[in-house]
Amino acid sequence: MTEDGKYEAVRGRDARFDGEFFFAVATTGIYCRPSCPATTPRRRNVRFFPTAAAAQGEGFRACRRCRPDAVPGSAAWNARADVVGRAMRMIGDGVVDREGVAGLADRLGYSARQVQRQLNAELGAGPIALARAQRAHTARVLLQTTRMQTAEIAFAAGFSSVRQFNDTIKEIYAITPTGLRAARPGHSSRFGPVAPRSFYGGVPLRLAYRGPYAAADLFDQLARHTVPGVEEVIGAPGARTYRRTLRLPHGHGIAEVDERLGEGGWLECRLCLTELRDLTTATQRMRRLFDLDADPYAVAEHLGADPLLAPLVAARPGLRSPGAADPHELAVRVVLGRRLPPDEARAHAAAVVRAYGQPLASPSGGLSHLFPRADTLAGVSLEEVELPGPRRTALRVLAVALAGGVVSLDAGADRDRAEKELLNLDGIGPRTAGYLRMRALGDPDVLLLPSAVSVAPEVAAGWRPWRSYATHYLWGDAVRAGGAPGGSAG
């Protein structure tokens, strides 16, 4: 997209490009999202940036009217399998905050200098600046949604000192932390992060998305596959809430997301965390589960040109390809439920949770356990659970591979390598490996056709790079036609 094209998007306040790029105004020192409702600046005063961190690095401050730090992420980071795309997914998951740039580089298989150079060249900001922008956003959320002391917020957001926290907030938002807290938006704010509190409490968030969002389809799929004790879907269709436990780097938590869409383009979410340092990681994992950084406009334009998919795309605008809140958990569940009806798959998973899961100190509604760790499953006999012998063997092989790092399904993992390592495991076939690539690794370009559908290879090739979405359109059509439910690894 040319800079003139970007300026036209700014003039049109086109929300389709929120998160895809940012613009800054030289005369005001402010940077904004493309859909900012403020008066459009003159073209000669506008500069464009690929990330918020790049704009901040040039000395621009975040607009307090459009809140550009609250936009959806760019769909490009999910689509790209190169080092930049992988790095962005890892930074979003908090790797730099937990392990530093050296840890990020080690995970990527490059030197720290190479990672710094590639990110600076393409994004205008290095890993430290990108993580800093994310920490600032987390701090703003905590300031405006909790009553925590500012010193507590500083460390919970990932800052190393209160002074660093104060300086960063002033630099990015041109206001003190106290002033930013006082400027919290009301519940009707178009761009604010504040969501109503629930009966269970927690930090309230608004998880932004772009374009149409087919919430009913995604909640239907989640409801078919919930694991008792770890997940539940409560409420009537149209007003459901998905709730689940989360195992996180510093502790654990409970997340809940509402089906009813916010009028400004968000899902309301609450996160109850034992350690607020996990807020960024928990938020990103829920964003991946609900595929909130997708670009439904690009998907619809591309797949809608195909005669087979066109009526499906038109009937279900904004269909998403859900990811995973915990990739290791998903892998175990897929092996347990492979080629089984959803009810039987859920029963197997529930039995494993009861036998080996970590009980919560205080159950919350129907949530009582954390899903068992891979290293836990690798170290037990699995005899406490009634499973067919081959399925028990496949589960043990997978757990050992995950626990030992032979297979990596972490955010930013090399997708080709992960799929190859999965296929080397007994009991993992191409369809199971492809399903995990699509969901656990968030690949938007995996094709898994329903058994009753046949498509010529050259036709399917034309669906690239959005074949995961084509898969979900075809699965959904099979479900409505009375076939096998979508979402099975087969």
Side-chain angles (χ1 to χ4, degrees):
M1 190 176 188
T2 66
E3 290 201 346
D4 286 342
K6 292 177 181 177
Y7 185 69
E8 288 304 311
V10 170
R11 287 184 60 188
R13 298 179 174 83
D14 196 332
R16 292 179 299 172
F17 298 100
D18 286 353
E20 300 294 344
F21 70 87
F22 299 82
F23 76 95
V25 185
T27 52
T28 63
I30 299 294
Y31 78 92
C32 304
R33 60 170 80 199
S35 66
C36 182
T39 302
T40 304
R42 294 181 178 179
R43 174 66 182 87
R44 65 173 180 266
N45 295 327
V46 174
R47 293 179 61 187
F48 297 100
F49 296 94
T51 63
Q56 294 167 13
E58 292 294 319
F60 292 98
R61 304 183 305 275
C63 174
R64 275 184 263 161
R65 185 170 181 181
C66 74
R67 299 185 183 274
D69 59 342
V71 299
S74 172
W77 312 137
N78 291 332
R80 291 174 54 166
D82 62 2
V83 65
V84 174
R86 292 173 59 207
M88 288 298 287
R89 294 195 292 274
M90 289 185 185
I91 292 170
D93 198 54
V95 168
V96 171
D97 291 335
R98 295 192 299 272
E99 304 173 21
V101 176
L104 173 69
D106 185 61
R107 285 172 176 256
L108 291 169
Y110 289 80
S111 71
R113 180 175 295 180
Q114 287 174 309
V115 173
Q116 179 81 26
R117 184 169 59 247
Q118 291 196 47
L119 292 180
N120 270 319
E122 187 157 346
L123 305 179
I128 292 177
L130 291 162
R132 175 176 175 264
Q134 183 168 267
R135 286 195 294 271
H137 171 59
T138 300
R140 179 176 70 77
V141 170
L142 291 174
L143 282 167
Q144 296 186 332
T145 63
T146 75
R147 296 181 179 179
M148 293 172 60
Q149 297 294 319
T150 54
E152 294 178 292
I153 290 175
F155 295 110
F159 292 96
S160 59
S161 70
V162 174
R163 180 176 180 178
Q164 183 189 61
F165 162 72
N166 287 332
D167 291 346
T168 299
I169 295 299
K170 290 177 184 177
E171 182 179 341
I172 291 179
Y173 297 107
I175 194 171
T176 65
T178 301
L180 189 59
R181 167 167 273 170
R184 63 165 57 91
H187 293 308
S188 62
S189 170
R190 165 66 173 84
F191 298 115
V194 182
R197 295 186 181 275
S198 76
F199 173 79
Y200 299 101
V203 178
L205 306 171
R206 282 176 174 169
L207 305 181
Y209 59 84
R210 62 174 58 82
Y213 191 91
D217 291 274
L218 198 148
F219 272 76
D220 286 346
Q221 181 171 341
L222 291 175
R224 282 196 297 270
H225 300 280
T226 53
V227 175
V230 173
E231 300 173 291
E232 64 177 354
V233 175
I234 58 176
R240 291 173 288 188
T241 296
Y242 170 77
R243 306 182 70 240
R244 67 157 295 133
T245 59
L246 292 172
R247 190 184 294 278
L248 298 162
H250 301 290
H252 62 268
I254 291 175
E256 57 181 41
V257 178
D258 294 340
E259 178 183 11
R260 184 178 289 116
L261 304 179
E263 60 183 17
W266 62 72
L267 295 179
E268 292 181 346
C269 172
R270 275 81 53 192
L271 295 172
C272 297
L273 307 173
T274 59
E275 277 283 351
L276 280 171
R277 288 180 294 170
D278 287 323
L279 179 62
T280 296
T281 301
T283 301
Q284 289 300 319
R285 292 184 183 181
M286 298 313 292
R287 292 193 65 83
R288 286 199 295 273
L289 175 61
F290 286 86
D291 195 22
L292 296 176
D293 294 331
D295 185 348
Y297 300 109
V299 172
E301 180 179 4
H302 190 76
L303 299 184
D306 180 86
L308 174 62
L309 296 176
L312 306 181
V313 173
R316 301 159 72 199
L319 188 70
R320 293 311 205 257
S321 177
D326 184 331
H328 286 193
E329 172 192 316
L330 178 69
V332 170
R333 290 169 58 172
V334 167
V335 168
L336 285 170
R338 194 167 70 94
R339 296 182 178 174
L340 294 178
D343 287 347
E344 290 186 37
R346 294 172 65 216
H348 282 323
V352 168
V353 168
R354 288 193 300 272
Y356 309 113
Q358 178 183 336
L360 299 180
S362 299
S364 175
L367 307 181
S368 59
H369 288 74
L370 298 175
F371 200 85
R373 297 177 182 272
D375 54 4
T376 299
L377 297 175
V380 297
S381 67
L382 300 175
E383 296 296 333
E384 293 88 344
V385 181
E386 293 186 9
L387 293 173
R391 201 173 297 269
R392 180 181 289 110
T393 300
L395 175 56
R396 181 178 293 108
V397 168
L398 172 67
V400 169
L402 293 174
V406 175
V407 173
S408 174
L409 299 179
D410 297 334
D414 185 307
R415 291 164 175 163
D416 289 339
R417 179 178 177 181
E419 184 174 25
K420 179 180 178 181
E421 296 295 347
L422 284 167
L423 289 170
N424 287 333
L425 303 180
D426 290 340
I428 302 289
R431 191 170 179 86
T432 299
Y435 184 81
L436 290 174
R437 178 170 181 148
M438 178 172 66
R439 289 202 57 189
L441 299 177
D443 192 339
D445 194 32
V446 176
L447 183 64
L448 300 172
L449 293 173
S451 57
V453 175
S454 177
V455 176
E458 61 272 18
V459 172
W463 298 344
R464 290 181 178 272
W466 308 117
R467 292 184 300 169
S468 294
Y469 296 90
T471 293
H472 282 283
Y473 276 114
L474 293 169
W475 279 355
D477 190 51
V479 170
R480 286 190 297 278
S488 171

